[in-house]
Amino acid sequence: MGKPTGFLEFTRELPKKRDPQERIHDYKEIEVPFSEQDSQRQAARCMDCGTPFCHSGCPLGNIIPEFNDAVYEQNWAYAYEILSSTNNFPEFTGRICPAPCEASCVLGINKPPVAIEFIEKSIAEVAFAQGYVTPKPPKERTGKQIAVIGSGPAGLAAAAQLNKAGHTVTVFERADQIGGLLRYGIPDFKLEKWTIDRRLAVMEAEGITFKTGVNVGVDIKANALLDQFDLVMLTGGSTVPRDLPIPGRNLKGIYPAMEFLSQQNKRNASLPVEVDHQGAKYGDGELLATNKNVVVIGGGDTGSDCVGTSNRHGAASVTQIELMPMPPKDRAENTPWPNWPMMLRTSTSHEEGCDRHWSINTKEFIGDENGNLKAMRIVDLTWKNENGRMQMVELPGSERDIPCELALLAAGFLHPQHNGLLDDLGVEYDERGNVKATNYQSTVNPKVFAAGDMRRGQSLVVWAISEGREAARAADCYLMGETMLEAKAVSMIAVE
Ligand SMILES: Cc1cc2nc3c(=O)[nH]c(=O)nc-3n(C[C@H](O)[C@H](O)[C@H](O)COP(=O)(O)OP(=O)(O)OC[C@H]3O[C@@H](n4cnc5c(N)ncnc54)[C@H](O)[C@@H]3O)c2cc1C
Ligand code: SF4
């Protein structure tokens, strides 16, 4: 433990954010860098608890008290060694993880928790700046060929671990760039894309091959894949968006959030936006919120990313509506410490300007004579608890139309795309339509493994990395009969 009195002397501090009025004119990161001294002061607050709940709050089992101590001692090389032993990509989680570890920090019982996420980002950034992040190719190759399908955080983590175990790994990605939702989905103002390129350069130098623009199942058929590779790791994500099939859905001006967000990622990268991130041609060309009344349907993180992007486009107004009731401002009683708290969350995008409304249902999209969206018919709801099940009831007389020329559907994803590769491989699906696997191994073909959102359902980057690492361990065991890849400490606290 670095400083026994640190938690009494210092309070929680986070990096400063750029002024909303300034930052809505660009797509650069919102937080200004945390100095090494700021990180050291935060690390000094860690109490090195006998039972570190933060450690099990992290889906990766990050060894938080130990890296906090190393940061307090300003031993950044050792801090990175500890952090990278459980997390392949702390530069991503240090920026965009919702930090369930902090929700279970013991200091959080009666004081603000340790700023773990930002310490993690500092360790990663110091490590890259000081040259501690170097390619570490395996000393020997096993001769086994592995295909990883999908290059999101799950695929990248699996590839890194399987390569470390000595296997020869090829990552296939149907988009024109590697990164999955890190690249096309999560806005640049949350995660600038040079962070992905920097990591990919290390992975390539370690011997991993990346192939973009390859839609596996179409460009390489399932049978050919099974013939050519000793093992197939499916990490294709959860890509089928939840639609809103109500009257007027076919009007021009209603789009899934991902189409809107990934176009902006492409624009930022100076790439053509007329084809989507999956390589298909857009029906309606460029989607811009400029001068439009935008309504984002769905109150979650994807919706919040649409809010931030719409404000950057210069929307006339931005409204976000959600079916469920407004969560409590503080931790709900049914999610006590150290659980992930159910509570109202205000993102940096909300701070930039947005009308937020809860308990609202959308009944109809209304168009003009040219088939363009011009309004939405909405209604207020009350929620009744009937035998433990929440039932929504429309509030009589509350139906009204609100102006809207751009509606963004951000109500989540159903499951991975079944037709094509998955159906051709003959994989089984669980009750939610995700790939069914036992210990990450498909229930129908022992050569086929699955991880990330494709197996788990829509989740978080930290879970995708965890799944990729665990699936790689299971795959290595299957191929070699044993594994030298690190096992993770069991995470006890669930957060989606
Ligand atoms: C808008 C948005 C914002 C988010 N923000 C956050 C956040 O701030 N923090 C957080 O923790 N999580 C966030 N998430 C969730 C997080 O991004 C996902 O949980 C995570 O990326 C899942 O990783 P994955 O590797 O399983 O899949 P993905 O990242 O979805 O990657 C799957 C990849 O597989 C490719 N693929 C699929 N099928 C094929 C095929 N047949 N052939 C070749 N390639 C294929 C896809 O093109 C895709 O690139 C966000 C999600 C969205 C949509
Ligand atoms: S990955 Fe997320 S949960 Fe784990 S230590 Fe980092 S911020 Fe916390």
Side-chain angles (χ1 to χ4, degrees):
M1 178 175 183
K3 185 153 207 220
T5 54
F7 70 99
L8 297 171
E9 285 175 45
F10 310 117
T11 188
R12 176 180 165 98
E13 275 177 44
L14 298 177
K16 303 235 172 334
K17 292 181 222 153
R18 293 191 292 132
D19 185 80
Q21 289 318 310
E22 174 207 326
R23 69 192 195 221
I24 56 162
H25 298 294
D26 63 54
Y27 291 85
K28 300 272 177 232
E29 214 164 270
I30 284 167
E31 286 85 14
V32 295
F34 221 25
S35 77
E36 291 183 22
Q37 289 67 37
D38 291 336
S39 305
Q40 187 191 25
R41 222 175 14 249
Q42 280 310 298
R45 298 183 68 232
C46 179
M47 302 190 295
D48 193 17
C49 311
T51 304
F53 282 83
C54 57
H55 181 168
S56 45
C58 170
L60 284 160
N62 275 353
I63 312 163
I64 296 162
E66 277 72 8
F67 69 59
N68 280 339
D69 185 48
V71 169
Y72 179 70
E73 298 295 343
Q74 296 282 281
N75 189 346
W76 293 91
Y78 186 44
Y80 184 71
E81 194 184 312
I82 298 167
L83 179 54
S84 58
S85 72
T86 56
N87 186 354
N88 300 75
F89 313 122
E91 66 276 27
F92 305 150
T93 46
R95 286 175 164 84
I96 54 170
C97 187
C101 55
E102 294 182 12
S104 56
C105 170
V106 175
L107 192 53
I109 297 174
N110 64 349
K111 281 177 183 284
V114 175
I116 300 166
E117 185 188 8
F118 287 106
I119 295 173
E120 184 169 333
K121 178 180 172 187
S122 305
I123 297 172
E125 289 312 310
V126 172
F128 273 105
Q130 296 294 332
Y132 305 145
V133 189
T134 52
K136 294 185 185 61
K139 291 202 173 61
E140 284 174 19
R141 290 282 172 189
T142 61
K144 304 281 186 198
Q145 297 283 338
I146 298 187
V148 174
I149 318 301
S151 68
L156 293 180
Q161 293 297 97
L162 288 164
N163 183 64
K164 182 176 172 180
H167 307 303
T168 303
V169 181
T170 307
V171 179
F172 293 97
E173 170 55 60
R174 66 183 167 196
D176 57 358
Q177 301 255 325
I178 294 291
L181 289 171
L182 299 171
R183 175 82 62 181
Y184 289 133
I186 297 175
D188 294 46
F189 53 80
K190 277 168 62 181
L191 184 76
E192 289 188 33
K193 305 312 171 198
W194 56 264
T195 57
I196 309 173
D197 299 331
R198 182 176 65 177
R199 177 57 71 176
L200 293 179
V202 177
M203 293 176 71
E204 265 175 324
E206 288 175 338
I208 298 170
T209 304
F210 292 101
K211 293 196 172 171
T212 54
V214 183
N215 189 355
V216 181
V218 176
D219 302 320
I220 305 176
K221 294 286 180 200
N223 281 343
L225 194 70
L226 292 172
D227 286 346
Q228 286 169 29
F229 291 90
D230 297 296
L231 190 133
V232 174
M233 178 67 71
L234 299 172
T235 51
S238 178
T239 47
V240 177
R242 191 183 304 279
D243 207 342
L244 189 58
I246 57 172
R249 171 63 183 88
N250 57 351
L251 291 166
K252 208 169 157 188
I254 306 155
Y255 304 97
M258 272 299 298
E259 286 190 25
F260 178 69
L261 293 173
S262 62
Q263 273 204 4
Q264 189 53 50
N265 295 135
K266 290 198 138 204
R267 221 174 269 121
N268 292 337
S270 304
L271 292 167
V273 297
E274 60 272 14
V275 285
D276 76 6
H277 60 293
Q278 310 286 18
K281 204 130 182 77
Y282 275 118
D284 290 341
E286 279 205 57
L287 311 181
L288 288 166
T290 317
N291 299 328
K292 291 181 182 149
N293 295 296
V294 179
V295 179
V296 179
I297 303 171
D301 286 348
T302 304
S304 148
D305 292 345
C306 291
V307 168
T309 304
S310 299
N311 276 322
R312 279 164 180 73
H313 285 184
S317 70
V318 184
T319 306
Q320 187 178 20
I321 60 173
E322 164 62 45
L323 202 62
M324 299 305 291
M326 185 175 163
K329 292 214 165 61
D330 296 312
R331 194 187 265 274
E333 271 179 22
N334 60 354
T335 52
W337 180 92
N339 292 292
W340 177 246
M342 146 78 161
M343 61 186 284
L344 179 67
R345 292 189 164 80
T346 300
S347 71
T348 51
S349 292
H350 295 132
E351 288 167 5
E352 292 160 3
C354 170
D355 272 339
R356 299 172 79 185
H357 301 278
W358 287 264
S359 296
I360 294 215
N361 197 11
T362 311
K363 302 212 67 171
E364 188 179 346
F365 295 112
I366 299 161
D368 64 14
E369 59 282 3
N370 299 317
N372 293 316
L373 178 69
K374 68 166 190 186
M376 272 172 51
R377 185 152 300 153
I378 58 170
V379 66
D380 290 327
L381 302 171
T382 52
W383 285 89
K384 288 202 174 133
N385 191 335
E386 278 177 15
N387 305 324
R389 283 179 68 104
M390 294 290 277
Q391 301 284 351
M392 62 182 201
V393 181
E394 290 185 7
L395 219 63
S398 67
E399 202 168 282
R400 60 202 179 275
D401 295 350
I402 55 170
C404 173
E405 296 87 37
L406 178 64
L408 298 169
L409 307 178
F413 297 86
L414 295 173
H415 48 64
Q417 183 190 322
H418 292 171
N419 63 328
L421 179 65
L422 296 185
D423 283 348
D424 292 350
L425 284 171
V427 298
E428 284 187 299
Y429 302 107
D430 67 16
E431 63 286 351
R432 292 188 299 159
N434 300 313
V435 175
K436 196 168 172 184
T438 306
N439 193 24
Y440 304 96
Q441 191 167 27
S442 110
T443 44
V444 292
N445 186 336
K447 272 178 81 165
V448 177
F449 283 67
D453 283 8
M454 188 167 245
R455 187 200 75 86
R456 184 185 176 82
Q458 175 190 1
S459 186
L460 295 170
V461 169
V462 64
W463 270 117
I465 300 172
S466 165
E467 291 250 324
R469 289 174 65 90
E470 293 300 297
R473 248 188 127 245
D476 191 33
C477 267
Y478 165 72
L479 288 172
M480 310 304 289
E482 58 180 2
T483 183
M484 44 67 79
L485 295 172
E486 307 89 348
K488 113 172 147 171
V490 176
S491 175
M492 300 184 302
I493 300 158
V495 55
E496 289 300 325

